Amino acid sequence: QVQLVESGGGLVQPGGPLRLSCAAFGSIFSTKPMGWYRQAPGKQRELVALSTSGGSTNVADSVKGRFTISRNNAKNTVYLQMNSLKPEDTAVYYCLVSATTPSSPLFPRDYWGLGTQVTVSQ
């Protein structure tokens, strides 16, 4: 009953910026943690950034200082601003939203986006 819509992925040159958005739709009471994961070909999925409902954020060491996560609770949307992109940032980026719903009003459940490709190349 909850569906995530990701946007903003694409091809960008090294050093360039890119902004990802992920909006959650459905019967949502409230969102809890929201974040971004990524997986490059031949590599394990890794956590990129997390944002709690209280406003605390965490980013992976590999992107610290370059990526910023933010959220708009009123819109059930989470963003990932990516700056100074490197070729090693190339991956499929997945949005994760933890939310309470009428089916689970007390305990949040995890919902995943389908993923959006980010390619950093000349």
Side-chain angles (χ1 to χ4, degrees), residues 16-96:
L18 208 61
R19 186 172 186 256
L20 304 182
S21 298
C22 175
F25 297 90
S27 301
I28 299 172
F29 286 161
S30 65
T31 55
K32 305 301 178 180
M34 305 176 78
W36 294 91
Y37 289 76
R38 70 183 182 185
Q39 187 167 22
K43 297 184 178 180
Q44 294 182 325
R45 183 185 64 180
E46 65 174 344
L47 176 66
V48 178
L50 275 177
S51 175
T52 70
S53 59
S56 298
T57 62
N58 273 301
V59 298
D61 290 339
S62 60
V63 303
K64 191 170 296 182
R66 299 186 297 119
F67 291 11
T68 302
I69 188 170
S70 61
R71 63 192 291 158
N72 187 326
N73 289 331
K75 297 182 178 180
N76 294 324
T77 302
V78 62
Y79 309 92
L80 184 67
Q81 179 65 50
M82 304 182 292
N83 297 322
S84 302
L85 282 164
K86 305 175 180 179
E88 50 263 45
D89 294 319
T90 296
V92 177
Y93 285 70
Y94 298 92
C95 174
L96 172 67

